[in-house]
C-alpha cells in the first residue's frame, strides 16, 4: 500500500471527525505535491503552523501521521470541541485537543485500511513542525475548513499485507 | 439514583468531552472518576464504587483491552458495565472487545446523542431528553 492510496480516505476521515466532534466543515481539500519543483500548492493560503502533532500507527500497514495548523485554527477547534470560549482555554488545553484530533484522524484512517489484524497507535506527540519529508511515499493534504487551514501528512513505512 | 462513572482515556481533552456529554444526557451523576490508563483505572475501581466504566483502548501502561479482561476476571468487579469508546472502528476490534465482555462499543468520532443513548441503556436509565 502506498501513501497515494490514502488520497480519498484521508479527506473522508477528516470530514467525519471534524464534523462530528469539532463542528467544523471542510470547504476544500488540496493534495500538496511533495515535490514542489513539479508544481506546488498554488492558490492555497499559507499560514504559520503553531500546533503540530505526530504519531505512529502499526498494523498491516505501518507509518506516521502528522497534523499541523495555525494558532487561531487550533483555538477555534478546541473551543468547538470542549464547548468553551476560546479565551478561557490555555495553550496546554488547546494542545491536548489538537493531540486528540491527530489521534482520532489517524485512528479513523487506520481503522478503515486494516483487515484482520489490530493496529496500535502511539501517543500523539507535539513536534516543532511537520518533518520536511521528500519521499515518494508521503501524502500531504491541506484542508480549508471554516475553522482555518489544517495540514495532514501521512507516511507509509511498511505493508505486511497484499493490498 | 446517582451513578458513579469512571472515564478512562489518556487524553484529558477527551475525558472532558465525555463528561460534558454525560452532563447533557440528564443522567444524575454522583461522582465522576477519571483515569489515564487501565492501571490507574484498576486503582480507582479498588477504592471506589463504580456503576459504569467508559474506556478507550489505546492507552499507555495498560490498554483498554487489558483493563476489560482484568475487570471481567475479578469477581468483585465483573458485573460493572463497560462501554468502550475508541478510535478503532474496525469490525475485528469491535467483535473482539464484545467477545471479551464489553457491554457496548462506540467509535470515535461519535455523535453525542449516540454516546448518551448507550450510557442510558447500560445504566438502565430513562431516555435522554436533553439532546
Amino acid at each position: 500500500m502506498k501513501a497515494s492510496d490514502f488520497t480519498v480516505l484521508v479527506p473522508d476521515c477528516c470530514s467525519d471527525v471534524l464534523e462530528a466532534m469539532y463542528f467544523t466543515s471542510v470547504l476544500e481539500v488540496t493534495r500538496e505535491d511533495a515535490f514542489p519543483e513539479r508544481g506546488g500548492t498554488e492558490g492555497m493560503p499559507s499560514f504559520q503552523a503553531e500546533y503540530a502533532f505526530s504519531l505512529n500507527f502499526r498494523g498491516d500497514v505501518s507509518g506516521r501521521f502528522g497534523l499541523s495548523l495555525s494558532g487561531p485554527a487550533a483555538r477555534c477547534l478546541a473551543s468547538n470541541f470542549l464547548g468553551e470560549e476560546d479565551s478561557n482555554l490555555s495553550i496546554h488545553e488547546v494542545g491536548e485537543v489538537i493531540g486528540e484530533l491527530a489521534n482520532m484522524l489517524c485512528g479513523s484512517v487506520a481503522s478503515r485500511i486494516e483487515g484482520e489484524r489490530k493496529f496500535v497507535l502511539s501517543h500523539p506527540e507535539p513536534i516543532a513542525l511537520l518533518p520536511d519529508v521528500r519521499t515518494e511515499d508521503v501524502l500531504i493534504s491541506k484542508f480549508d475548513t471554516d475553522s482555518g487551514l489544517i495540514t495532514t501528512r501521512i507516511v507509509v513505512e511498511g505493508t505486511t499485507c497484499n493490498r | 439514583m446517582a451513578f458513579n462513572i469512571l472515564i478512562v482515556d489518556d487524553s484529558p481533552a477527551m475525558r472532558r468531552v465525555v463528561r460534558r456529554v454525560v452532563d447533557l444526557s440528564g443522567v444524575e451523576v454522583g461522582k465522576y472518576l477519571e483515569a489515564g490508563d487501565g492501571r490507574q483505572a484498576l486503582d480507582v475501581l479498588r477504592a471506589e464504587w463504580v456503576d459504569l466504566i467508559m474506556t478507550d483502548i489505546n492507552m499507555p501502561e495498560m490498554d483498554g483491552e487489558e483493563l476489560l479482561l482484568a475487570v471481567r476476571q475479578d469477581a468483585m468487579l465483573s458485573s460493572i458495565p463497560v462501554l468502550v469508546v475508541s478510535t478503532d472502528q474496525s469490525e475485528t476490534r469491535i467483535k473482539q472487545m464484545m467477545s471479551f465482555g464489553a457491554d457496548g462499543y462506540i467509535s470515535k468520532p461519535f455523535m453525542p446523542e449516540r454516546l448518551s443513548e448507550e450510557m442510558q441503556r447500560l445504566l438502565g436509565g430513562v431516555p435522554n431528553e436533553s439532546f
Side-chain angles (χ1 to χ4, degrees):
Chain A
M1 191 166 196
K2 294 182 295 187
S4 57
D5 294 330
F6 292 84
T7 304
V8 175
L9 192 54
V10 171
D12 282 352
C13 293
C14 197
S15 291
D16 288 350
V17 171
L18 289 173
E19 284 174 16
M21 301 208 68
Y22 293 81
F23 310 106
T24 291
S25 299
V26 174
L27 307 173
E28 186 183 359
V29 184
T30 306
R31 178 182 166 184
E32 181 176 315
D33 198 322
F35 300 89
E37 63 273 18
R38 297 181 196 163
T41 52
E42 271 182 58
M44 287 299 292
S46 59
F47 69 98
Q48 181 67 44
E50 290 177 47
Y51 289 87
F53 281 80
S54 177
L55 68 160
N56 299 320
F57 53 96
R58 295 277 175 266
D60 286 341
V61 181
S62 298
R64 297 192 312 277
F65 181 86
L67 169 79
S68 69
L69 63 171
S70 69
R75 284 192 293 278
C76 184
L77 289 171
S79 171
N80 290 352
F81 186 74
L82 296 172
E84 297 196 16
E85 291 292 323
D86 62 354
S87 56
N88 294 336
L89 299 174
S90 68
I91 289 173
H92 185 68
E93 289 172 314
V94 173
E96 286 176 350
V97 171
I98 302 309
E100 183 56 27
L101 172 60
N103 181 55
M104 273 195 279
L105 285 176
C106 185
S108 186
V109 170
S111 295
R112 297 192 200 181
I113 58 173
E114 292 300 321
E116 294 305 309
R117 278 177 43 182
K118 293 181 290 186
F119 65 86
V120 177
L121 305 182
S122 68
H123 190 77
E125 297 293 342
I127 52 175
L129 279 174
L130 290 181
D132 187 22
V133 180
R134 288 290 183 269
T135 71
E136 288 288 359
D137 225 5
V138 58
L139 174 71
I140 301 167
S141 306
K142 286 183 180 270
F143 299 89
D144 189 10
T145 77
D146 50 16
S147 290
L149 192 63
I150 300 170
T151 299
T152 65
R153 186 173 303 206
I154 191 160
V155 178
V156 173
E157 296 172 337
T159 303
T160 57
C161 61
N162 297 319
R163 288 173 193 276
Chain B
M1 179 179 175
F3 299 100
N4 288 354
I5 296 177
L6 172 58
I7 303 167
V8 191
D9 198 305
D10 56 335
S11 163
M14 183 52 71
R15 295 200 301 266
R16 202 160 148 181
V17 164
V18 171
R19 271 182 71 149
R20 187 161 157 255
V21 172
V22 176
D23 284 341
L24 290 170
S25 73
V27 166
E28 193 179 342
V29 177
K31 201 184 282 186
Y32 280 113
L33 302 156
E34 297 189 12
D37 59 46
R39 199 166 302 284
Q40 288 177 19
L42 286 177
D43 289 343
V44 171
L45 287 162
R46 287 170 185 137
E48 301 273 359
W49 179 272
V50 171
D51 296 292
L52 173 66
I53 302 168
M54 302 165 90
T55 183
D56 188 14
I57 296 177
N58 265 303
M59 292 180 290
E61 296 297 324
M62 179 188 271
D63 65 22
E65 182 180 315
E66 294 170 298
L67 171 63
L68 175 61
L69 290 171
V71 167
R72 289 296 172 252
Q73 286 164 9
D74 187 319
M76 299 296 288
L77 307 175
S78 61
S79 63
I80 301 173
V82 176
L83 175 59
V84 177
V85 184
S86 170
T87 55
D88 194 336
Q89 304 165 11
S90 64
E91 206 170 309
T92 307
R93 178 69 98 170
I94 295 171
K95 282 180 181 169
Q96 184 198 46
M97 294 300 280
M98 297 305 282
S99 74
F100 286 165
D103 297 282
Y105 195 109
I106 299 269
S107 302
K108 293 188 252 182
F110 57 78
M111 300 300 287
E113 298 91 332
R114 173 96 177 88
L115 181 61
S116 179
E117 283 166 9
E118 272 297 276
M119 196 184 57
Q120 301 259 9
R121 179 178 70 81
L122 295 177
L123 290 171
V126 292
N128 171 32
E129 295 174 355
S130 301
F131 287 103

